[in-house]
Amino acid sequence: MPNRQRRAALAVTMGAVLGLAGALAAGPVLAQAAPRTDLARTDLVVGMRLEPPHLDPTAGAAAAIDEVTYANLFEPLTRIDAEGKVVPGLAEKWEVSADGLTYTFHLRKGAKFHDGTDADSADVKFSLDRARGAESVNAQKGYFAAIAGVEAPDAQTVVVTLSRPDGLFLFHMASGDAAIVAPESAGANKQTPVGTGPFKFERWVAGDRVVLVRNPDYDGPKPALERVTFRFISDPAAQVAALKAGDIDSFPQFDTYEALPQFRDDGAFTVMVGTTEGETILGTNNARKPFDDVRVRRAMAHAIDRKTLIDGVLFGNGAAIGSHFPPHRAGYVDLTGLYPYDPDKAKALLAEAGLPDGFETTLRLPPPIYARRSGELIAAMLAEVGIRVTVEPMEWAPWLEQVFKGKNYDLTLIAHTEPLDIDIYGRPDYYFNYRSERFNAVGAELDRTQDPAKRNALYGEQQRILAEDAVNGFLFMLPSATVQKSAVQGMWVNRPIQANDVTGVRWK
């Protein structure tokens, strides 16, 4: 069957998968916002698709945790700004030794936790030692692996010694996983978080919302907002209706892409579409048969029509990728042409691998809309080459436990939203079950390299290795779409890190 006919056949599947789209595009006009003035408002209601499992960013992998807490409640030593740059956080400045092994951080004087206790070098030492310790439950424990020791010579100074150079150390210390916590309150942070940020926790209504209030004792610039409510609305139609009714002021990560035109045409709203760090992949268990055969993985890569996927799932709001690296970052190599959509080539590779009749497999999908929609379409694409896929929708808790932690899966589909996370392919216990001495050797060279041009060249080499090995199905970058009232200012357009940073948001 020619590719044009195959695309036509897939369009039928797309219509069934996206049956909701037409209703969302035309329906929400029945909910109209009442006339109001927002000029004097100091509160903000932010919509989120997913509710976090808890509120401790140092003890969980779910992006929704950082989306509530990053920069708002908790502060790392350094932090990432709206442009993706490393800027001061709890540390106002730092020095790095010539050999790249010693980092001296100088903390802000007067910084306090929300319970009124001082935030000093002892708390930083506790946080870093806790994150790298044997009992650590930190989702990114690898960020701290190079730390050989942490000293606190005085209340405002922290000296971190590394066992080896780490070119991303300052970047990793800006993550939510590196948030500074106090020993007195760390154990309760999942339900009643205590940080040093410009907002503090007020309450959590399970299944509905988390409320933050301005921290009057914050030692830095005070935010314009006095109260921020994060509302959790998972249903796409309900998201659209809540925006139209005026119940939500800003909805970052709005992924009902088919509804964007109606908000663009309404002067009461602003629509912003930017970039994220979300490499969306068809996650593959490289240790399971038949996926341990690179020919099978390459066959799947040729069987996936990324243009149809982006048009059907993202309504054109996305960029195809050929490896695990975002196109907007320096060091990106365009490898999208390595596996063009070619079902006949896919069938030939399967036959070469001893699977001329294809095989049966299971695709376990987490809750996000992009995953559920993409999964159905990819199942139809793989069926065209003889790979018979059983789609298994899952909620977040079992997906994290069984797929991400337990590695009990054949295929899955997820956007990896951590910035500059290509290093995950070098982790021996990561859920892809991928092993490559060649990739790891390049990663070791990256750790020793500080020069930006040389680092970018090494990133390019890593991208090529992953693409050649077809470790996963590299699909697209998840776009960042925000729909909000036109009077809201200061929300990030791009998402260089998993965050809904409201510290600079105000009403015009």
Side-chain angles (χ1 to χ4, degrees):
M1 184 186 295
N3 286 352
R4 183 177 299 174
Q5 290 174 287
R6 287 193 173 97
R7 284 197 168 107
L10 286 171
V12 175
T13 302
M14 187 188 304
V17 171
L18 308 181
L20 174 65
L24 286 174
V29 292
L30 53 88
Q32 296 292 336
R36 63 183 298 175
T37 175
D38 293 315
L39 296 179
R41 287 184 60 185
T42 57
D43 68 304
L44 186 76
V45 182
V46 179
M48 287 177 54
R49 296 172 289 151
L50 300 172
E51 181 175 15
H54 58 76
L55 296 174
D56 183 355
T58 71
I65 302 171
D66 279 353
E67 288 173 358
V68 172
T69 64
Y70 187 83
N72 303 321
L73 274 170
F74 289 104
E75 296 177 298
L77 284 169
T78 58
R79 77 178 191 86
I80 304 299
D81 68 7
E83 305 304 318
K85 298 176 182 176
V86 176
V87 298
L90 189 60
E92 59 184 3
K93 60 182 179 178
W94 52 86
E95 297 97 32
V96 184
S97 63
D99 61 5
L101 294 177
T102 303
Y103 289 73
T104 303
F105 296 95
H106 304 278
L107 308 184
R108 299 195 317 257
K109 294 180 180 179
K112 293 182 180 295
F113 287 99
H114 299 148
D115 59 7
T117 59
D118 291 336
D120 58 23
S121 58
D123 298 301
V124 176
K125 177 174 171 55
F126 165 79
S127 299
L128 298 184
D129 285 345
R130 174 174 175 256
R132 68 192 183 98
E135 303 300 318
S136 173
V137 294
N138 197 292
Q140 299 294 343
K141 192 175 178 180
Y143 289 178
F144 311 90
I147 297 178
V150 184
E151 297 177 1
D154 61 58
Q156 253 55 59
T157 307
V158 178
V159 180
V160 180
T161 304
L162 304 186
S163 60
R164 54 174 171 78
D166 181 353
L168 284 177
F169 185 69
L170 289 174
F171 193 87
H172 287 158
M173 291 304 99
S175 69
D177 307 273
I180 304 305
V181 299
E184 299 86 354
S185 53
N189 277 340
K190 287 186 175 182
Q191 298 300 321
T192 54
V194 175
T196 61
F199 291 94
K200 60 182 182 178
F201 175 78
E202 182 180 81
R203 60 177 170 150
W204 183 357
V205 180
D208 183 52
R209 64 192 184 276
V210 167
V211 181
L212 311 182
V213 293
R214 187 164 61 191
N215 175 15
D217 300 318
Y218 185 62
D219 61 300
K222 302 294 190 294
L225 300 174
E226 295 179 357
R227 177 180 297 270
V228 181
T229 301
F230 293 92
R231 284 275 312 279
F232 312 122
I233 306 175
S234 60
D235 179 71
Q239 294 170 5
V240 174
L243 281 162
K244 285 287 188 178
D247 298 332
I248 299 294
D249 301 317
S250 180
F251 209 119
Q253 291 293 86
F254 184 80
D255 57 5
T256 309
Y257 302 106
E258 62 270 27
L260 292 180
Q262 64 178 287
F263 288 108
R264 286 192 177 102
D265 293 339
D266 187 335
F269 295 96
T270 297
V271 175
M272 305 185 298
V273 178
T275 60
T276 75
E277 297 293 317
E279 296 95 350
T280 306
I281 61 170
L282 179 65
T284 307
N285 191 339
N286 283 239
R288 273 195 185 173
K289 292 185 179 301
F291 308 110
D292 59 344
D293 189 326
V294 69
R295 294 169 297 186
V296 173
R297 301 196 301 269
R298 288 172 178 168
M300 292 194 300
H302 280 298
I304 296 171
D305 184 350
R306 282 172 292 193
K307 182 181 187 307
T308 295
L309 202 61
I310 291 170
D311 289 345
V313 175
L314 307 178
F315 287 75
N317 295 284
I321 54 172
S323 190
H324 199 104
F325 210 82
H328 59 267
R329 281 198 177 274
Y332 171 74
V333 177
D334 186 356
L335 298 167
T336 53
L338 188 60
Y339 300 107
Y341 176 56
D342 189 341
D344 293 329
K345 177 68 172 177
K347 290 178 180 178
L349 283 166
L350 289 175
E352 185 181 327
L355 297 165
D357 299 322
F359 59 92
E360 295 183 356
T361 189
T362 300
L363 172 58
R364 309 189 81 178
L365 297 174
I369 295 173
Y370 72 82
R372 297 287 172 88
R373 292 179 173 179
S374 296
E376 294 288 350
L377 284 174
I378 286 175
M381 293 173 185
L382 294 179
E384 289 285 312
V385 301
I387 302 175
R388 299 170 295 281
V389 179
T390 298
V391 175
E392 182 182 338
M394 304 179 74
E395 294 306 312
W396 270 121
W399 186 91
L400 288 167
E401 187 64 30
Q402 297 174 35
V403 177
F404 185 72
K405 294 180 181 178
K407 307 175 198 171
N408 181 18
Y409 77 106
D410 296 335
L411 300 171
T412 189
L413 198 149
I414 190 69
H416 279 258
T417 55
E418 295 84 2
L420 287 174
D421 60 351
I422 195 169
D423 67 299
I424 59 180
Y425 291 82
R427 300 180 191 177
D429 58 347
Y430 209 65
Y431 77 106
F432 306 145
N433 282 318
Y434 172 65
R435 307 284 189 276
S436 170
E437 292 184 6
R438 182 182 168 204
F439 182 89
N440 292 344
V442 178
E445 184 65 23
L446 258 170
D447 288 340
R448 296 188 292 267
T449 303
Q450 298 285 340
D451 179 76
K454 293 179 180 178
R455 288 184 62 82
N456 288 336
L458 291 169
Y459 278 134
E461 191 172 346
Q462 284 191 321
Q463 291 168 64
R464 291 184 185 92
I465 294 170
L466 298 182
E468 290 167 6
D469 286 348
V471 183
N472 292 308
F474 300 109
L475 307 177
F476 53 78
M477 291 302 298
L478 198 66
S480 173
T482 300
V483 178
Q484 62 187 21
K485 293 177 181 176
S486 57
V488 176
Q489 293 184 318
M491 292 294 287
W492 288 7
V493 177
N494 301 317
R495 290 176 71 86
I497 198 168
Q498 301 169 151
N500 292 322
D501 182 346
V502 295
T503 59
V505 176
R506 65 181 62 245
W507 291 87
K508 67 180 178 181

